[in-house]
Amino acid sequence: MNAALPDVPEVRVVGLPQLTSGFDLVERLDLAMHLKVHGPLEPMGGEQLASLAEQISLKGRGGAGFPFARKLRAVAESAIRRGVRPVVVVNGSEDEPACRKDTVLINRAPHLILDGALLVAEALGARTLVVGVTRNSTEASMQAALTERGLTNRRGAPLRARVQRNPVRMVTGESSALIRSADGGPPLPPGRKVRASDSGVGGAPTLLSNAETFAQLAIAARIGADRYRNTGLHDEPGTVMLTISGAVARPMVVEVPTGVPLRYVLQLAGAPPLPQGVLTGGYHGKWLDGAAVHDAVVSRASLDALGGALGAGAILPIGPETCPLGESLRVANWLAAESAGQCGPCYLGLPAAARGLADILNGGGPAALEALRQVTKAVKGRGACKHPDGSAAFLDSTISAFTDDLAAHVLGGGCGRPVAGVLPLQEEGAAGGGAGSTAGDAPTGQRLAVDWTLCQGHGLCADIVPELIQLGPDGFPSVAEASVPQYSAARAMRAVRRCPALALRIEEEQPPAPRRSNLPVLPPGGSRRALGSGRG
């Protein structure tokens, strides 16, 4: 069973390095070494920068793949129309257990990311730069990089730059959640569909993009569009940073030119020669079966055409010895537990979907399969953010990619294979403050409970701790009790103290009673949390 990934796993490169230049010399490129490796960088005008992004077909590397040039122009036009200074935000909130490429860049090449962000800030006339992170290591590295450049958040500085630290949670990496936290609110999606280019941090037009995107822009600005396009595919030039984990001998982050066969990258990490399937794009991504993996190359278009997804660059193969539906159930439970609890399709729908997949594994038959399909269909397009959509897409892909195993569980007695637990989950490395964890995400062992005999629907609790309590259509809390993580403990206690009707209380959570399960058993030494009701 694979342990949780460290913040900075092994880094490899296929071909000539671009983003990873200098990694063979030092563990972290400080400003002096960064300039020795990459050289100086001259400012560029806004239209010149947008044209460069168009020529290299630069798209966001955080998952959505939005064209960077369109985003840049939209922010510039909005800022001019409103007569306000825009804001630049770097999203380094890499919160998926299977993603480490941005964390590697922030830890080892922070100045390359800052180069791209400062290019954009200068071109747009921005006076505020925010870098969102979620890990101790990324916070320390980026703060050191700002200090090395003499950038501070002091009032009156030509450019106010700061690091915004948020908890490691799936939803904190969503763009609107990062913007909300940068404004002093909770790191949760607000549920309002407002484009950041129109109104972002402080209500100003905001250019928010992924850390790797800014680093790619900095490379292109140095070497020029023609030289940049000499690497990779004609329609998707350059390199891509991938995180390879799952059933591999050597989990790693690898920089690879687009167009390289996916099977070669998997071989580099020591994946099974004939993987049963490969999850592409991370836990909001899609599965490829063995035949599709053989035909796939590393590119957004190739993976999309074969039913996969580049997404955030996570690639996770599984071998033939494990139950793919059981592996997917572990992920489904984790996705359900990562809900912000702000909307029914996510808070109620994702646990229901995970239970539906568990029912299939428990021999629920065709009725269980149909119930799962209905739940995932109901979840799509109805959430406050993209977490429900991404989770539903993952589940849809699971039941489409492994039809033989699905039939064995639905119509027979199961596939007969155990669950090896090869897909990394955050909870596996969280105990004891392990790699990639933060104390803020750990449970307190307490729950916030509503006494319905006293509650009068004042609604103060939802204002104070919105990540735990939301109001229903009748104005009363929509949940009766909610587990309290460390990062919400202080606000939960404040909500209890300020409740006018004294209807809130903090209680100690009781451990769940053991229950029998027909799910595939784990091999000796495997995680006994992998297939229980768990956090989902």
Side-chain angles (χ1 to χ4, degrees):
M1 175 174 176
N2 284 5
L5 293 176
D7 279 13
V8 183
E10 177 185 356
V11 179
R12 301 287 294 274
V13 61
V14 176
L16 296 176
Q18 292 187 356
L19 301 178
T20 57
S21 293
F23 281 22
D24 58 332
L25 303 175
V26 292
E27 285 299 310
R28 178 184 180 275
L29 280 73
D30 61 14
L31 183 57
M33 180 59 72
H34 168 74
L35 291 174
K36 286 181 181 178
V37 170
H38 292 286
L41 183 60
E42 297 296 324
M44 301 176 69
E47 185 52 42
Q48 185 183 9
L49 200 59
S51 177
L52 173 66
E54 280 183 332
Q55 291 176 58
I56 65 171
S57 302
L58 181 61
K59 294 183 178 180
R61 301 300 177 90
F66 192 83
F68 188 82
R70 285 174 54 190
K71 185 179 295 187
L72 183 64
R73 289 194 174 103
V75 172
E77 291 168 2
S78 182
I80 293 171
R81 183 175 65 253
R82 295 177 54 191
V84 297
R85 295 275 190 181
V87 175
V88 175
V89 177
V90 177
N91 193 349
S93 307
E94 196 168 43
D95 305 312
E96 274 198 54
C99 295
R100 288 295 185 275
K101 53 117 176 159
D102 292 322
T103 301
V104 163
L105 285 175
I106 295 173
N107 273 283
R108 300 197 62 180
H111 290 285
L112 197 60
I113 298 166
L114 285 179
D115 277 348
L118 293 173
L119 269 179
V120 173
E122 178 73 17
L124 291 174
R127 293 294 178 264
T128 302
L129 170 64
V130 179
V131 182
V133 299
T134 53
R135 302 177 187 274
N136 292 329
S137 62
T138 50
E139 181 182 26
S141 180
M142 187 54 71
Q143 190 58 61
L146 294 178
T147 301
E148 289 165 5
R149 289 182 181 248
L151 296 172
T152 70
N153 194 33
R154 289 197 303 266
R155 184 169 298 178
L159 176 70
R160 297 183 64 177
R162 61 186 173 91
V163 176
Q164 175 67 37
R165 171 69 181 272
N166 288 329
V168 179
R169 293 192 65 199
M170 188 74 164
V171 294
T172 60
E174 207 268 342
S175 59
S176 64
L178 178 53
I179 289 172
R180 190 179 184 188
S181 68
D183 280 335
L188 300 169
R192 300 186 306 275
K193 306 295 184 182
V194 179
R195 293 189 304 176
S197 58
D198 293 328
S199 179
V201 176
T206 298
L207 190 145
L208 183 149
S209 201
N210 167 261
E212 184 193 341
T213 313
F214 285 107
Q216 292 283 2
L217 185 66
I219 291 292
R222 277 187 168 89
I223 67 177
D226 290 342
R227 185 175 164 193
Y228 186 96
R229 289 199 303 264
N230 285 337
T231 299
L233 298 169
H234 173 72
D235 54 346
E236 291 184 50
T239 63
V240 175
M241 295 287 283
L242 301 174
T243 309
I244 316 296
S245 65
V248 297
R250 299 177 301 279
M252 63 177 60
V253 168
V254 57
E255 181 182 14
V256 55
T258 56
V260 169
L262 180 60
R263 61 183 183 275
Y264 176 79
V265 179
L266 294 172
Q267 180 183 2
L268 187 68
L274 296 173
Q276 181 178 189
V278 175
L279 181 57
T280 59
Y283 294 158
H284 277 178
K286 300 177 181 179
W287 288 99
L288 293 180
D289 60 26
V293 170
H294 185 271
D295 296 333
V297 301
V298 177
S299 82
R300 192 180 304 277
S302 172
L303 293 174
D304 286 348
L306 292 168
L310 181 60
I315 307 293
L316 301 103
I318 59 171
E321 72 287 343
T322 187
C323 172
L325 300 184
E327 294 289 348
S328 297
L329 176 59
R330 296 175 61 249
V331 176
N333 281 329
W334 181 81
L335 289 168
E338 287 298 294
S339 168
Q342 296 190 124
C343 58
C346 191
Y347 179 69
L348 301 175
L350 296 189
R355 289 193 300 269
L357 184 54
D359 287 344
I360 292 174
L361 285 164
N362 273 318
L369 176 59
E370 182 59 28
L372 174 59
R373 285 174 170 157
Q374 291 299 321
V375 170
T376 55
K377 181 179 179 181
V379 161
K380 293 177 184 176
R382 299 176 58 225
C385 68
K386 294 299 184 182
H387 182 52
D389 291 359
S391 301
F394 165 78
L395 286 165
D396 281 344
S397 175
T398 297
I399 60 179
S400 297
F402 303 109
T403 53
D404 290 345
D405 294 88
L406 189 67
H409 284 281
V410 170
L411 303 176
C415 67
R417 287 172 291 178
V419 176
V422 296
L423 302 181
L425 296 178
Q426 195 70 51
E427 61 186 16
E428 294 169 0
S437 68
T438 61
D441 299 295
T444 60
Q446 297 178 323
R447 63 184 180 186
L448 189 63
V450 179
D451 185 336
W452 296 114
T453 65
L454 298 175
C455 181
Q456 299 176 13
H458 290 96
L460 286 178
C461 54
D463 292 334
I464 297 172
V465 61
E467 65 268 37
L468 301 182
I469 294 182
Q470 300 81 44
L471 300 183
D474 57 0
F476 286 81
S478 58
V479 296
E481 56 188 44
S483 297
V484 180
Q486 292 285 355
Y487 66 86
S488 294
R491 289 194 297 275
M493 184 59 68
R494 191 181 315 134
V496 170
R497 292 171 177 167
R498 293 189 59 186
C499 178
L502 304 179
L504 281 183
R505 61 179 180 267
I506 297 288
E507 299 177 344
E508 296 298 320
E509 287 191 315
Q510 299 299 318
R515 63 184 179 93
R516 297 173 64 89
S517 175
N518 295 325
L519 299 180
V521 296
L522 290 170
S527 170
R528 297 192 178 274
R529 303 178 59 189
L531 284 176
S533 58
R535 295 170 58 197

